Amino acid sequence: MMDEFKREFQLKNFGFGGVSDRSFVVPQARWCFQPVTWILYRFAAAIYLTVWWIVILIYWGEPPYYKQADTKAKWFIYVSNWSYLCLGIYFWTSAIGTLVYHKNTKFKVSSTITAGEGLELSPIDAKDQITNGYDNHGHQIYAEPQENNSHEDVEKQDSTTGMTENTSSNKSLSWNFKVTWLFQNISFTAAFFVTLLFWILDFDPETGTVTVFNLHIHGINLLFVLVDQFLIGSPYRILHFIHPSLMALVYFIFTAIYYAAGGLNEYAPDEVNGNTYLYKGSLDWERETITTAVVMVGVVFVAAPLLHLVLYGFYRIRRTLERFESCRMSRH
């Protein structure tokens, strides 16, 4: 495990290499009736988030669920709403990519699954299970290369379906799954951030009201992330903290440009705070310029990397649980 942790800091892990498409189209755990059940789950999640996004946008800025807004277009000026959109994009790219992958490989449905399916192997665990540089879940295995097979296509049996697919050790991750991985990194960390930000700093229990709408933007989103984090088979890389950090930087730059162009929040002017703030006391380029700049630096360089690291910890827990289950099943 320590060897795997050390390898996380190799410069190449800023990118999307070392993983095959298969990592993004099957779950880590054992599911029956693969791949249909997994495809249905991905589309169900994507559709659910989209439906609620439409409902929220319809009611946003309308009493009694929200304060009166001057235009619904300003829904897009808040980071929590950016986070929700990114989460929806992640699920849609994952769902469509999964469907297309299984359609193209013509996998058959199976009601039985081999124990340990989806396990990413360490060099010691791999041994005889190595297939051309990838384990049975599509993760690259770090092991000594074999002679005369580094560029050969091999048939790899899918433990879920019993079918085979051709895999080459030098085949890179498809561009659409790179997009999925990017939005996974962004949306997972952002969901954590906006949920903590809302309930710890923004929500006032004395004056605020919990509604099904703000609960979806600042709660249900995180529930989707936590559930998905323990179901998916795709990896998590420490150095990918750069993706949520860049997203945060882009958001702060957007707010600065928005303010410079005369943009205001959706409320009538406040006698004390005016209407230039987006988040009172922490994001106001006119009245709280220094505070806003400090918050920006803290979020980009501290909060985003730390929350990403927390999610990496969940990923390691998922991998540990899978190894434990695989060992338990192998004894039966």
Side-chain angles (χ1 to χ4, degrees), residues 20-57:
S20 73
D21 292 353
R22 179 171 160 71
S23 301
F24 291 86
V25 299
V26 294
Q28 182 84 24
R30 293 172 291 122
W31 283 44
C32 293
F33 302 106
Q34 273 269 61
V36 173
T37 51
W38 184 244
I39 294 173
L40 289 176
Y41 159 70
R42 302 311 263 168
F43 273 97
I47 292 171
Y48 181 91
L49 290 170
T50 302
V51 169
W52 270 103
W53 175 75
I54 295 172
V55 172
I56 290 170
L57 197 56

Side-chain angles (χ1 to χ4, degrees), residues 170-182:
N170 62 350
K171 182 181 180 181
S172 62
L173 186 66
S174 298
W175 70 267
N176 57 297
F177 290 118
K178 291 179 181 179
V179 172
T180 298
W181 202 352
L182 173 66

Side-chain angles (χ1 to χ4, degrees), residues 89 188 205:
I89 293 172
F188 280 24

Side-chain angles (χ1 to χ4, degrees), residues 7-29:
R7 282 195 299 272
E8 285 292 331
F9 295 95
Q10 295 177 355
L11 290 179
K12 65 181 181 180
N13 284 331
F14 276 112
F16 300 100
V19 180
S20 73
D21 292 353
R22 179 171 160 71
S23 301
F24 291 86
V25 299
V26 294
Q28 182 84 24

